Amino acid sequence: MSAFVVPEPKNEPVKAYAPGSPEKLSLKATLKQLAQEVTEIPQWIGGERVKGTNFEIRAPHDHQKVVGRAYAGDASSVSRAIDAARAAKMDWGALPYADRAAVFLRAADLLAGPFRDRMNATTMLGQSKTVFQAEIDAACELCDFWRFNAAFGQALEADQPYSPPGQWNRTELRPLDGFVFAVSPFNFTSIAANLSTAPALMGNTVVWKAAPTQLLSAQVIVEILEAAGLPKGVINLVHGDPAIIGATALASPELAGLHFTGSTATFQHLWREIGSNIARYRQYPRIVGETGGKDFIFAHPSANVAALSTAIIRGGYEYQGQKCSAASRVYVPRSLAGKLKERLLPEIEGLKMGDPTDFSNFMGAVIDERAFTKISGYVALGKGPGARILAGGECDRSRGWFVRPTLIEVEDPKHRLMTEEIFGPVVTLWVYDDAKLEEALALVDESTPYALTGAVFAEDRQVLAQLTERLRFAAGNFYLNDKPTGAVVGQQPFGGGRASGTNDKAGSAANLMRWASTRALKETFVPPTDYRYPFMSEP
Ligand code: NAD
């Protein structure tokens, strides 16, 4: 087999969608067309469309608008998906790496070209993303996952051990000995696709369970993978009751891995299930999970106020704060607090929110009623003792699940608003005493169980270096004078530690390695023919 070289990956350029641009006109036309349709979203098992009990998918910003009709299965569909994954396994795992990689490289080009509008439009309608948020996620980040992973996987295959004279040592990356269960969240279309395709690139077959609120764009992922020539049964998408799907998949002796992104509570539940089933499995399942966060921005007295204010707005409110990396707690020194508020509050009040198909909006709605109720509860805490709403605070469910971008100041740095993941457009600020920098840093580091993303703002280089060292374990993705969101594949490998996940870095060689089981081969060219060693002869 020739040692083929995967084309060098480049980040997919982000389109501007400026007024009158061809991309804007064509996306608008697709949005218009999709708005008149109800997309059918069956399960995808062994390459077949499988129906079941139907349920509606509605636009978060217009909850009376049905945009899709999905079909839920039950435990028998999960068993069927596991069987389909097993049936596809031998052929897919035996296919040369270059052929597997080619499927995903082709998928990336199909997404960048003919499927781009549909992918962005479904992400906008189904998940309430603005055009920019859809473009950087569903189009660009997903192209990047597919292209960069193909190159990372090749580098792993090429990494070979040393061979002293007389022997040849090799390592072979085999897929895991069973199926991988991929479970994805609602908030990133790209993550949903990567959770199933990264293990597949390494030769595994997959049972994939997506979040119900992401299914409109999940359907486009299926269409792209089919168009790219992915063989039947390599990835199998099941819909339905998460508890039934989870329990059925995790009870299978064939389970070889869990690739999860979602909340910390769900991940811990799945980990416990795996633990309680441990004696049934044919192998120890690999467990990879990227979970919740309570991401911080820490401002030093030397911080640039304009940069800080912009980072709070973009980091805290883009995609309605529904990013695992979204800035959620901000620490500001008393010496800067007045100046920051003067700039920040009117800007927050001016943010335009509404239907994302109106491109002038900066924000859309939160994902569903459950999220709306949860986030409204946190906003209400801002009106309680020890807290004050500085901006926003309005929640309106009349047409869609809309929560105004909200800034709350608290007196106690351990207030629930400063320590719990809210996953909505609510940022909480605590003002620290300039003379008590170390106490404030200890709070950043220790007051939440999470360690996903964090940002520090300072103009003084000495201070930047000190903060970076002091907060070494507080975040898996650490930003200096930048917002804590917007990691790019190939540039900032993404993932956090502590309660935020196993930090296996999505879109990196480290992640792919979790889906490979190494076999070491040693070949001796002229094997010994006498068991006696020289030391055994006496004079
Ligand atoms: P969630 O935990 O509610 O759901 C995630 C997925 O798990 C969904 O598909 C859901 O249906 C499924 N699920 C729930 N219970 C299950 C069970 N018993 N068995 C099997 N599957 C089950 O999370 P969400 O609301 O979709 O996403 C938001 C969360 O995801 C936030 O906590 C956010 O921080 C986190 N997130 C983390 C990252 C990261 O990289 N760290 C990225 C995106 C989102």
Side-chain angles (χ1 to χ4, degrees):
M1 184 64 56
S2 300
F4 300 116
V5 177
V6 167
E8 191 189 346
K10 297 260 188 316
N11 290 114
E12 176 65 21
V14 178
K15 294 196 178 195
Y17 297 90
S21 60
E23 69 263 21
K24 183 164 184 172
L25 296 175
S26 104
L27 178 59
K28 282 262 182 186
T30 307
L31 282 165
K32 202 169 158 194
Q33 184 203 329
L34 273 178
Q36 289 156 6
E37 294 170 6
V38 175
T39 304
E40 288 281 292
I41 312 171
Q43 302 176 90
W44 186 47
I45 302 176
E48 283 174 30
R49 301 283 191 265
V50 178
K51 293 200 169 174
T53 327
N54 73 61
F55 59 99
E56 288 170 344
I57 308 291
R58 291 163 182 255
H61 43 271
D62 183 359
H63 46 51
Q64 293 313 301
K65 171 99 192 114
V66 177
V67 289
R69 190 180 301 108
Y71 293 88
D74 53 17
S76 69
S77 344
V78 184
S79 302
R80 194 169 152 189
I82 294 172
D83 290 346
R86 286 176 62 178
K89 193 176 159 45
M90 288 309 285
D91 285 349
W92 178 246
L95 203 62
Y97 179 80
D99 290 293
R100 296 198 308 261
V103 171
F104 299 108
L105 292 171
R106 190 173 170 201
D109 278 17
L110 288 166
L111 170 56
F115 282 87
R116 193 183 201 112
D117 283 345
R118 235 173 104 65
M119 189 57 120
N120 280 333
T122 50
T123 299
M124 292 171 73
L125 292 175
Q127 290 143 269
S128 205
K129 292 208 173 192
T130 61
V131 60
F132 178 65
Q133 293 301 315
E135 169 77 4
I136 58 172
D137 162 24
C140 300
E141 185 166 341
L142 183 46
C143 285
D144 292 350
F145 272 134
W146 282 337
R147 293 180 180 138
F148 278 83
N149 275 347
F152 293 142
Q154 173 184 262
L156 290 172
E157 298 264 342
D159 184 23
Q160 292 293 316
Y162 166 69
S163 299
Q167 56 178 264
W168 188 9
N169 293 321
R170 290 175 279 163
T171 50
E172 176 200 4
L173 297 185
R174 302 167 301 178
L176 307 183
D177 198 5
F179 74 93
V180 173
F181 183 37
V183 182
S184 58
F186 77 83
N187 65 335
F188 275 90
T189 304
S190 54
I191 293 178
N194 185 53
L195 286 167
S196 56
T197 54
L201 172 69
M202 301 308 284
N204 297 282
T205 53
V206 180
V207 174
W208 170 29
K209 188 230 164 292
T213 38
Q214 187 264 323
L215 289 184
L216 193 64
S217 58
Q219 178 61 27
V220 184
I221 297 171
V222 167
E223 288 165 19
I224 294 174
L225 293 175
E226 276 185 329
L230 187 75
K232 291 179 180 11
V234 172
I235 293 175
N236 303 278
L237 175 59
V238 291
H239 312 323
D241 182 337
I244 293 175
I245 296 174
T248 312
L250 299 183
S252 168
E254 299 289 321
L255 181 79
L258 169 68
H259 200 192
F260 176 85
T261 299
S263 65
T264 300
T266 306
F267 186 51
Q268 292 188 355
H269 167 77
L270 299 178
W271 193 309
R272 271 192 293 270
E273 290 249 316
I274 292 174
S276 66
N277 286 328
I278 198 71
R280 326 163 66 118
Y281 300 131
R282 284 206 298 131
Q283 59 273 300
Y284 294 105
R286 302 274 172 94
I287 304 177
V288 174
E290 296 303 335
T291 64
K294 185 68 182 176
D295 309 299
F296 63 84
I297 292 181
F298 182 85
H300 180 261
S302 71
N304 175 316
V305 170
L308 176 64
S309 168
T310 304
I312 294 171
I313 292 180
R314 289 187 171 173
Y317 302 128
E318 277 182 323
Y319 191 39
Q320 297 79 267
Q322 298 174 119
K323 299 188 183 189
C324 49
S325 54
S328 182
R329 51 183 173 129
V330 181
Y331 300 79
V332 183
R334 197 167 311 284
S335 58
L336 281 192
K339 261 190 281 177
L340 176 69
K341 287 179 196 170
E342 215 173 281
R343 186 181 176 104
L344 183 58
L345 305 192
E347 286 197 333
I348 295 175
E349 296 295 8
L351 293 175
K352 199 159 173 265
M353 186 176 75
D355 186 331
T357 60
D358 170 353
F359 283 23
S360 67
N361 285 316
F362 177 78
M363 293 169 64
V366 302
I367 193 72
D368 60 11
E369 183 170 14
R370 197 182 70 158
F372 178 86
T373 308
K374 180 180 162 197
I375 299 162
S376 310
Y378 282 104
V379 172
L381 285 180
K383 297 170 187 154
R388 194 159 58 99
I389 294 186
L390 302 179
E394 301 85 20
C395 306
D396 178 359
R397 54 183 296 155
S398 52
R399 186 178 172 94
W401 310 114
F402 285 105
V403 179
R404 279 292 311 168
T406 299
L407 185 72
I408 301 173
E409 183 173 349
V410 289
E411 289 162 15
D412 176 3
K414 293 189 177 166
H415 192 288
R416 286 179 58 201
L417 287 162
M418 285 293 283
T419 53
E420 295 177 11
E421 185 181 52
I422 300 171
F423 221 58
V426 180
V427 177
T428 308
L429 182 146
W430 179 66
V431 177
Y432 70 87
D433 187 341
D434 291 48
K436 295 187 175 162
L437 189 78
E438 174 47 36
E439 283 93 325
L441 288 170
L443 286 162
V444 173
D445 192 23
E446 292 157 22
S447 61
T448 86
Y450 302 107
L452 190 50
T453 74
V456 292
F457 279 78
E459 292 297 293
D460 180 324
R461 187 74 228 177
Q462 186 83 30
V463 168
L464 275 180
Q466 279 165 4
L467 296 178
T468 305
E469 181 54 28
R470 174 66 185 81
L471 298 173
R472 190 160 176 230
F473 290 95
N477 283 65
F478 192 79
Y479 294 81
L480 293 85
N481 291 323
D482 202 348
K483 65 180 167 61
T485 58
V488 175
V489 177
Q491 297 185 30
Q492 300 93 22
F494 191 79
R498 297 183 181 162
S500 292
T502 54
N503 199 18
D504 287 292
K505 299 294 186 201
S508 77
N511 177 284
L512 295 181
M513 207 47 217
R514 301 298 309 271
W515 312 117
S517 174
T518 307
R519 180 162 75 143
L521 300 105
K522 175 187 175 189
E523 180 173 353
T524 299
F525 294 130
V526 185
T529 51
D530 180 353
Y531 81 89
R532 279 168 288 245
Y533 292 103
F535 74 84
M536 294 166 77
S537 323
E538 285 280 17

